[in-house]
Amino acid sequence: FEIPPEYGALILEIAVDKYNQGLIEVSLALFHFLTLVNPHDPDYWFRFGLIAIENHDYPLALSAMNKTSYLAPDFIGSHIYAAFSYHKMNESKRAKQELDTAKEHLTEELSEEWKTQVQEVEQLIS
């Protein structure tokens, strides 16, 4: 079961709005729905993972970040947040592995924000 992209965009807007209202559980449920009806969209999986982190559900976040990495292998964000989640779960070896993978994806073209996030997670893990 898939929904048309324009409906997905509308649900995405609602999910982001619910997040901005502080309704994390509602936002998480909406992003989960989006990953179910459009399972090949790495953006939905990544956002779902971010909201799971916000909800302190690190195993769920890792699942979403792993799916994001599978769908978009060169996307650095999923590796950064997977490293963060592993750190929060006291799995330092796996956190370092994900951080090393994130570093492999560092390029000059990446925004300073991504580079800063890599540095922040690196300091956190150290």
Side-chain angles (χ1 to χ4, degrees), residues 69-85:
S69 293
Y70 174 77
L71 294 170
D74 294 330
F75 178 57
I76 192 171
S78 57
H79 299 291
I80 293 169
Y81 286 100
F84 177 81
S85 296

Side-chain angles (χ1 to χ4, degrees), residues 12-23:
L12 173 66
E13 284 182 39
I14 294 168
V16 170
D17 184 56
K18 295 301 178 189
Y19 173 81
N20 290 335
Q21 292 176 27
L23 301 171

Side-chain angles (χ1 to χ4, degrees), residues 2-119:
E2 287 194 22
I3 61 173
E6 60 271 13
Y7 293 162
L10 291 172
I11 295 169
L12 173 66
E13 284 182 39
I14 294 168
V16 170
D17 184 56
K18 295 301 178 189
Y19 173 81
N20 290 335
Q21 292 176 27
L23 301 171
I24 303 301
E25 297 277 335
V26 174
S27 181
L28 186 65
L30 289 168
F31 277 109
H32 186 222
F33 175 75
L34 286 170
T35 65
L36 293 174
V37 296
N38 288 30
H40 304 293
D41 189 326
D43 183 54
Y44 291 157
W45 284 102
F46 181 66
R47 291 173 186 249
F48 179 50
L50 291 176
I51 302 299
I53 288 171
E54 184 78 19
N55 202 40
H56 307 285
D57 190 339
Y58 302 111
L60 182 60
L62 282 170
S63 177
M65 292 304 166
N66 287 336
K67 183 69 172 187
T68 304
S69 293
Y70 174 77
L71 294 170
D74 294 330
F75 178 57
I76 192 171
S78 57
H79 299 291
I80 293 169
Y81 286 100
F84 177 81
S85 296
Y86 279 125
H87 170 73
K88 289 299 215 175
M89 294 171 58
N90 295 316
E91 294 188 35
S92 57
K93 182 178 179 182
R94 294 183 86 178
K96 176 143 178 34
Q97 289 171 335
E98 282 292 339
L99 186 61
D100 288 345
T101 302
K103 288 179 177 180
E104 290 172 12
H105 295 291
L106 279 175
T107 63
E108 289 298 317
E109 295 79 32
L110 282 176
S111 71
E112 287 302 315
E113 184 177 337
W114 284 123
K115 294 173 185 175
T116 300
Q117 288 184 16
V118 167
Q119 292 171 347

